[in-house]
Amino acid sequence: MQDLNITLIQSELAWEDQEANLNRFHETIDRVQAGTHLIVLPEMFSTGFSMNPASLAQGMDGSTVAWMKARSRETKMDITGSLIIAENGNFYNRLVWAKPDGSLHWYDKKHLFRFAGEEKVYTAGDRHLQVTCHGWKIRPFICYDLRFPIWTRNINNAFDAAVFVANWPERRAEHWNALLKARAIENQCYVAGVNRVGVDGNGHRYSGDTCIIDPKGQVVTGMVGKETILSGVLSAATLAGCRNEFPVWMDADGEMLAE
C-alpha cells in the first residue's frame, strides 16, 4: 500500500442555494494540488444542513450527482461529500462517492440528529460503505455518526481510514476535536474530519476545525477556522508501524450480541 494524498475542502455554504455552492466548489476544486487521490467536501455541501428536503432534494440522476461524476472524471480524483437525495418516496442525507471511471458509491447517514429534527424528515441508513482508493480501505460517515463508537468500530483492521463529513456547530467544537482523536486512537486508523465554516440560515455558527488525525491521535494537519483547502498525506508506513508495534486491535471486542 502506498501513501494516500487527500484534500479536505472547508468552506462556507450558501444557504439552500445549490447553484451557488456548486459554482464555489467547482472553482475551489480547480485549485486542488496535482497528485491528490481523494477530495472530501462537507455534509450537505450543496445546500447547508437543511430540514427542507421537499424543495431541495434531487435524485441520483440529478444535476449535483452528475456534477460530482464530471468533476471526478475531469480531475482524475475521487470526490465525496453528502447531499440531499430523494429515492422511493424517502429523503436521505446521503454521502455520494464519485470515482474517475464514472462509478458511484453511497452511504446513507445512520444516526439522524434529532436535536434538529433530522429524524422527522430523513430516513436513516442501515449499512456501512467501504471504498478502496489508491489501495486504502476507507469507511465514510456523516457528522452525528461520530458520537457512536459501536457503529464506527474497526474490527480486525477492516478499514485503514475513516472520513467524517459534517456541519458541526461551533458551540460543540470541543466535542468534535476530542471525538475525532478518540475514533483514530481506538480504531488504530487515520481519521479525516471535514466541517464547514460560516453561519447557516438558522443562525448557527461553524468554526471548521477540519483536520487529519493519525492512528496515534496526533493532528497531522488542520484545526483552522476559515475557508481553506487542506491537503495532507496518509502514511502507509505510519499506519503499519502503529498496528505492528502496539497491536491492541488483536484484543479488541468483536461483534457483541445481547442476551
Side-chain angles (χ1 to χ4, degrees):
M1 187 169 67
Q2 299 177 335
D3 293 349
L4 182 74
N5 299 322
I6 184 172
T7 294
L8 317 178
I9 299 181
Q10 177 172 284
S11 177
E12 293 192 26
L13 300 177
W15 184 246
E16 298 184 345
D17 190 336
Q18 298 183 67
E19 182 178 1
N21 287 313
L22 292 190
N23 287 339
R24 180 195 296 265
F25 284 114
H26 193 98
E27 185 276 330
T28 305
I29 288 172
D30 281 341
R31 296 188 279 119
V32 171
Q33 65 186 30
T36 291
H37 302 115
L38 171 63
I39 297 171
V40 188
L41 310 178
E43 178 184 21
M44 291 195 186
F45 70 87
S46 60
T47 60
F49 188 60
S50 173
M51 297 301 106
N52 187 26
S55 63
L56 297 171
Q58 299 183 6
M60 290 294 287
D61 58 352
S63 60
T64 301
V65 174
W67 173 85
M68 294 180 74
K69 291 176 67 175
R71 288 266 68 194
S72 179
R73 183 179 62 251
E74 292 160 2
T75 61
K76 297 181 173 57
M77 303 171 186
D78 287 29
I79 297 176
T80 191
S82 94
L83 60 151
I84 302 171
I85 292 290
E87 189 173 81
N88 299 325
N90 296 316
F91 298 117
Y92 297 91
N93 182 349
R94 177 171 290 178
L95 179 140
V96 175
W97 191 301
K99 284 188 159 290
D101 64 5
S103 61
L104 291 174
H105 307 271
W106 58 88
Y107 163 77
D108 295 325
K109 188 176 183 180
K110 166 69 171 175
H111 298 92
L112 302 177
F113 191 57
R114 70 175 58 252
F115 301 97
E118 189 178 14
E119 86 288 357
K120 293 181 173 64
V121 291
Y122 293 95
T123 298
D126 60 3
R127 67 177 181 88
H128 289 111
L129 170 67
Q130 193 153 298
V131 183
T132 299
C133 179
H134 198 59
W136 285 67
K137 296 173 292 184
I138 303 175
R139 189 165 292 182
F141 301 96
I142 302 175
C143 203
Y144 194 43
D145 287 333
L146 179 61
R147 290 185 178 272
F148 300 92
I150 294 177
W151 182 246
T152 57
R153 179 181 294 159
N154 189 8
I155 298 175
N156 293 326
N157 294 336
F159 54 91
D160 304 311
V163 170
F164 293 87
V165 302
N167 275 208
W168 194 286
E170 180 180 44
R171 65 181 177 273
R172 289 186 290 275
E174 288 188 10
H175 297 187
W176 166 261
N177 297 334
L179 290 170
L180 287 172
K181 289 185 177 183
R183 299 295 87 86
I185 293 167
E186 71 194 7
N187 288 314
Q188 287 195 304
C189 71
Y190 275 91
V191 166
V194 184
N195 196 19
R196 62 159 295 177
V197 289
V199 181
D200 70 14
N202 294 314
H204 300 308
R205 293 186 174 277
Y206 300 85
S207 57
D209 300 311
T210 292
C211 60
I212 298 170
I213 310 292
D214 77 10
K216 297 180 180 180
Q218 301 298 312
V219 178
V220 176
T221 187
M223 300 294 188
V224 296
K226 60 182 180 181
E227 287 193 305
T228 187
I229 300 173
L230 188 70
S231 293
V233 177
L234 277 57
S235 167
T238 296
L239 178 66
C242 179
R243 290 175 171 177
N244 292 334
E245 295 165 12
F246 192 59
V248 295
W249 61 272
M250 297 180 70
D251 299 312
D253 299 318
E255 297 289 351
M256 300 177 67
L257 300 177
E259 293 183 0

